[in-house]
Amino acid sequence: MSKLPGSAGFTVLGDKSLEFYRDPVSFYRQRMDKHRGGRVFQSRVLNRATVFVCSVRGARELLCEKSNIFQKDPTDLMTNMYGDTIVTTNGEEASLLRLSFSSLFTGSSLESMKAYITRVCEHQLKDLSLSDHPKCAYSVFKSLGTQLVLGLFLNIHLDEHPELFHEISQLCTQHWHGLISAPINVKVSMWSSGFSVALEAREKLMAIIKDKLQNDKNGFVGTLGTLPLPDSSSASQHLLLFISALIPKALASLLTSFTLALSGNEQAETRRKALQDPDYLHLVLLEVQRLWPPFIGGRRIASEDCTIAGFHVPKDYGAIYISHAVHRDPEVFQQPDSFLPERWRERNAGQEHFLCSFGNGPRSCIGAKLTDVFLKEACMYLLKHYNWCMDPPTQDLQYKWLPVSRPANRPTLSFSRLDKSESDSSSTS
């Protein structure tokens, strides 16, 4: 057992939260360089001594083998904003919630969602080539994600209830901003803190959700009301989580990265192969997720003394895994910074479980399969109907990583519709 490299600093004065949240990628890379490439080190974040995990081995231990030791933080801001949910609880309660919800995201329930996902993708993406101006990819895909989650989880559709749809969308945005603002609930004349605005939005959303649970017995919301959940507020708290801006932003992040990675004439062959072969599209999406994970990582608290990758981690230490770094671990991924979909048929075949964009192990995202359906439907529609390129061709694509990753300057693309012969030729060749 070895001592963790680095220093946890001193209370308050030694805290590195601002540096980490300003640029988490630079933060971990500088410390890895300082520790001669070591991918596990310590620092102080949120005024807690914290181990940073940047290796596949360390992430597997943290999220899988020792998940019972590393717990969700009960004081986390996510708990304040969403309440006790499958994301924020620990132990037996978390396991029982996962068991209750698993049927809603697998099997026949998942199959029943596909037709709606296809219909929304067709409606939202059918006019990309009609504008004389380039499209902001991230905005297009976030709008798509919002329509998907509100339709699937609340039975609220833009074409049927436009006013309510836009009201909920705005409230979700206000609520989201509470997750990325200081948790200070202040209201004075003519001004309210972002956190205060978020709490107000939360109350309004909960009123809408509770009304839907009481009066709508169809679809996901109807089934949710019949589940054996721990208390009367659990269903509404989970619906708040499922419709929040978190999911549309994650989908927009991955779809933006997909379109950028496959943009331009130089990627025409990659687009053709992905359209022709759904299995190859799966490899492309794995590689997009590996290089540009929508979430930079996750945080846990050690409930007892233990080890991570051979290093001693004391009880009550924080533990942060950095998916961006884990996915670039050179011991597992050769040429870690290169976009190489074929790696998933070769050296990394069968190693999809090393990715941790949506967590891993027993606390992984329960909606991962649904997210996969979202992405494949949207990407297949784009591949079948369009060529696209960056417009202008030279843009600053440097990513910001928090709270959800995307290029800091939202990229714009021009889409040109494939003629039917090109589409048919690519899909049948």
Side-chain angles (χ1 to χ4, degrees):
M1 185 186 304
S2 302
K3 181 181 178 181
L4 282 166
S7 170
F10 299 100
T11 303
V12 181
L13 293 177
D15 190 78
K16 303 297 182 183
S17 298
L18 185 60
E19 181 185 352
F20 173 71
Y21 287 112
R22 184 183 293 122
D23 190 344
V25 171
S26 293
F27 180 92
Y28 88 73
R29 284 178 169 168
Q30 289 171 6
R31 282 155 179 79
M32 279 175 42
D33 289 343
K34 181 178 180 181
H35 302 306
R36 300 179 181 180
R39 305 186 77 85
V40 178
F41 56 85
Q42 64 176 320
S43 187
R44 180 172 290 273
V45 173
L46 297 178
N47 203 27
R48 185 187 290 266
T50 299
V51 54
F52 284 80
V53 178
C54 302
S55 69
V56 168
R57 175 190 171 189
R60 294 290 294 170
E61 290 184 18
L62 174 65
L63 297 173
C64 301
E65 291 101 2
K66 300 178 181 179
S67 62
N68 61 318
I69 295 174
F70 290 94
Q71 303 287 307
K72 293 293 184 79
D73 183 357
T75 66
D76 193 280
L77 188 57
M78 288 283 284
T79 305
N80 289 331
M81 297 309 296
Y82 293 110
D84 293 329
T85 68
I86 194 170
V87 172
T88 58
T89 53
N90 286 304
E92 184 179 2
E93 183 178 359
S95 298
L96 290 174
L97 284 171
R98 177 171 287 270
L99 186 62
S100 294
F101 281 102
S102 61
S103 63
L104 297 181
F105 294 94
T106 56
S108 60
S109 295
L110 184 62
E111 283 295 322
S112 69
M113 296 179 181
K114 287 184 178 180
Y116 177 74
I117 294 170
T118 300
R119 188 165 69 252
V120 172
C121 287
E122 290 175 349
H123 183 267
Q124 185 71 9
L125 302 175
K126 64 182 174 63
D127 295 330
L128 290 179
S129 62
L130 297 184
S131 174
D132 293 331
H133 304 286
K135 294 282 189 180
C136 174
Y138 184 82
S139 297
V140 168
F141 297 136
K142 188 172 72 170
S143 176
L144 170 65
T146 300
Q147 290 195 48
L148 286 169
V149 298
L150 293 189
L152 283 177
F153 298 133
L154 275 190
N155 289 337
I156 294 175
H157 310 288
L158 177 59
D159 55 345
E160 296 175 3
H161 308 98
E163 291 185 4
L164 181 58
F165 181 94
H166 288 301
E167 179 188 0
I168 295 174
S169 298
Q170 184 177 10
L171 289 171
C172 286
T173 298
Q174 293 171 351
H175 179 247
W176 167 260
H177 288 160
L179 284 173
I180 56 177
S181 61
I184 302 171
N185 189 6
V186 177
K187 291 182 67 177
V188 295
S189 177
M190 304 296 290
W191 183 84
S192 299
S193 67
F195 188 67
S196 175
V197 171
L199 291 178
E200 288 185 2
R202 182 182 189 276
E203 291 306 308
K204 293 177 181 178
L205 285 169
M206 290 295 278
I208 294 170
I209 287 169
K210 288 176 181 177
D211 179 71
K212 291 293 289 185
L213 282 168
Q214 182 175 352
N215 297 304
D216 192 339
K217 304 306 177 184
N218 298 315
F220 186 96
V221 65
T223 304
L224 182 61
T226 68
L227 292 182
L229 297 174
D231 57 62
S232 58
S233 65
S234 187
S236 56
Q237 288 172 343
H238 279 89
L239 267 181
L240 178 67
L241 174 66
F242 298 152
I243 69 165
S244 76
L246 194 69
I247 298 174
K249 285 178 177 288
L251 292 171
S253 169
L254 287 165
L255 288 170
T256 298
S257 296
F258 168 83
T259 52
L260 291 175
L262 271 64
S263 176
N265 291 334
E266 63 274 16
Q267 292 295 334
E269 178 61 14
T270 304
R271 293 197 300 272
R272 187 194 67 78
K273 288 168 64 177
L275 174 59
Q276 178 183 337
D277 181 1
D279 290 336
Y280 187 75
L281 173 59
H282 179 66
L283 307 185
V284 168
L285 288 172
L286 284 175
E287 192 69 345
V288 167
Q289 184 188 150
R290 186 185 71 82
L291 285 172
W292 303 287
F295 305 114
I296 192 67
R299 181 170 174 266
R300 303 285 192 274
I301 305 293
S303 61
E304 61 184 70
D305 285 9
C306 62
T307 61
I308 286 288
F311 294 101
H312 174 64
V313 178
K315 180 182 177 181
D316 294 328
Y317 255 53
I320 294 178
Y321 66 94
I322 307 293
S323 55
H324 183 278
V326 173
H327 294 178
R328 286 169 165 79
D329 186 343
E331 289 193 6
V332 176
F333 301 107
Q334 293 181 349
Q335 297 179 261
D337 295 320
S338 298
F339 180 74
L340 300 171
E342 290 78 6
R343 73 170 72 244
W344 298 101
R345 277 181 177 162
E346 298 166 358
R347 187 173 188 270
N348 298 116
Q351 294 182 338
E352 297 91 334
H353 58 287
F354 287 167
L355 300 178
C356 53
S357 302
F358 299 98
N360 211 323
R363 300 302 302 271
S364 61
C365 175
I366 196 170
K369 291 182 178 179
L370 179 58
T371 299
D372 191 50
V373 173
F374 281 162
L375 293 173
K376 287 178 177 175
E377 286 292 325
C379 291
M380 188 56 74
Y381 187 90
L382 292 171
L383 291 166
K384 188 173 182 179
H385 293 91
Y386 298 108
N387 283 322
W388 62 86
C389 62
M390 288 195 297
D391 186 3
T394 301
Q395 299 181 47
D396 180 4
L397 298 181
Q398 182 174 351
Y399 271 61
K400 56 172 284 187
W401 298 102
L402 289 171
V404 176
S405 69
R406 60 173 173 81
N409 298 307
R410 297 189 180 191
T412 53
L413 297 100
S414 286
F415 292 83
S416 58
R417 183 167 284 275
L418 291 169
D419 62 45
K420 192 171 188 305
S421 62
E422 282 184 280
S423 178
D424 290 345
S425 174
S426 294
S427 59
T428 59
S429 59

